[in-house]
Amino acid sequence: GLSAYQKAFFYLARLVPYSVLGGLYFSGQVDFGTLGQAQFAFSMVLGSVTIIVSRIQEISRFSAGISRLGAFWQALAPDVHAEQHKIHTTEGSGLQLNMTLYTPDGSRLLVEGLDVALASAGPQRRLLVVGSSGVGKSSVLRAIAGLWTRGEGSILRPSASEMLFLPQRPYMPLGDLRTQLLYPSEGTLGHVPDEDLRDILSRFGLGDLPDRF
């Protein structure tokens, strides 16, 4: 790693004056004192010109700290443009989208001029959104959930307690089986008796699941 490189560099560098003056010393042109003085002078110069190599770990930690402080400062600074270009979300019946969506930093346009309306009254309707990867399917769901609000337009959606967003990958929260079955509404559905949960599991052929955990 980096530590091994630093040690090898400094050990090999100490041999430079001996390799340069070694031939002169053995030929009798310089004495041992001159060789020692050359070694001392070279060590002083080496320590001055290699300060970055010897302090690379401290410099890296300092640079990382400055980067984190810069990101923290930007997060605290009010984003005037973000407030001006924000999708307004209201709670109501049905689902209505009339928006243009950008990435949270506003660097890329994701969805432009989306206009969708699903009424809550009448027969139940289901909407399947398909498309290639990267076209903005998950981004629209993030906007509906209120996670991404950079853009223009408005969203009318049900309250958060009436919606459920399933992750793309299976996810199980920490807790017992009851917590898994009632997630994420355990606080509002805590009155549901265990017998009802067992009955629901039995409908799917999982009636023995409570006894196994």
Side-chain angles (χ1 to χ4, degrees), residues 11-209:
Y11 283 142
L12 294 176
R14 296 179 184 277
L15 300 178
V16 173
Y18 295 108
S19 61
V20 173
L21 299 178
L24 298 177
Y25 172 76
F26 288 110
S27 64
Q29 299 182 32
V30 296
D31 55 13
F32 184 78
T34 303
L35 186 62
Q37 293 176 357
Q39 169 63 22
F40 176 76
F42 180 80
S43 298
M44 296 296 292
V45 175
L46 179 65
S48 300
V49 300
T50 60
I51 185 172
I52 296 180
V53 177
S54 60
R55 301 294 182 184
I56 188 65
Q57 294 181 350
E58 289 82 356
I59 295 175
S60 300
R61 286 194 293 267
F62 178 76
S63 177
I66 293 297
S67 299
R68 288 193 294 268
L69 288 176
F72 182 67
W73 175 261
Q74 292 179 357
L76 292 179
D79 193 345
V80 179
H81 299 286
E83 293 297 329
Q84 295 177 349
H85 303 282
K86 184 177 181 180
I87 300 175
H88 299 281
T89 301
T90 56
E91 294 184 357
S93 60
L95 177 64
Q96 297 181 14
L97 307 178
N98 185 6
M99 67 175 185
T100 295
L101 181 64
Y102 291 83
T103 53
D105 58 359
S107 61
R108 186 164 65 94
L109 175 64
L110 296 173
V111 179
E112 183 177 10
L114 179 61
D115 190 358
V116 178
L118 294 178
S120 60
Q124 294 183 355
R125 299 178 58 187
R126 295 177 175 85
L127 177 63
L128 177 63
V129 181
V130 297
S132 59
S133 178
V135 297
K137 302 185 299 297
S138 300
S139 301
V140 173
L141 294 179
R142 294 188 183 101
I144 297 175
L147 299 178
W148 287 10
T149 60
R150 190 67 175 266
E152 301 173 353
S154 61
I155 296 177
L156 174 65
R157 62 172 177 80
S159 62
S161 60
E162 298 178 356
M163 297 188 300
L164 176 63
F165 295 89
L166 296 178
Q168 294 179 344
R169 296 181 178 180
Y171 169 76
M172 296 183 65
L174 298 177
D176 53 15
L177 182 59
R178 181 183 179 86
T179 302
Q180 308 290 335
L181 296 176
L182 297 180
Y183 177 83
S185 304
E186 172 149 10
T188 58
L189 298 178
H191 61 279
V192 177
D194 293 342
E195 291 73 13
D196 292 348
L197 297 179
R198 287 178 175 271
D199 180 63
I200 295 175
L201 289 174
S202 299
R203 297 179 188 178
F204 294 93
L206 300 174
D208 61 333
L209 193 60

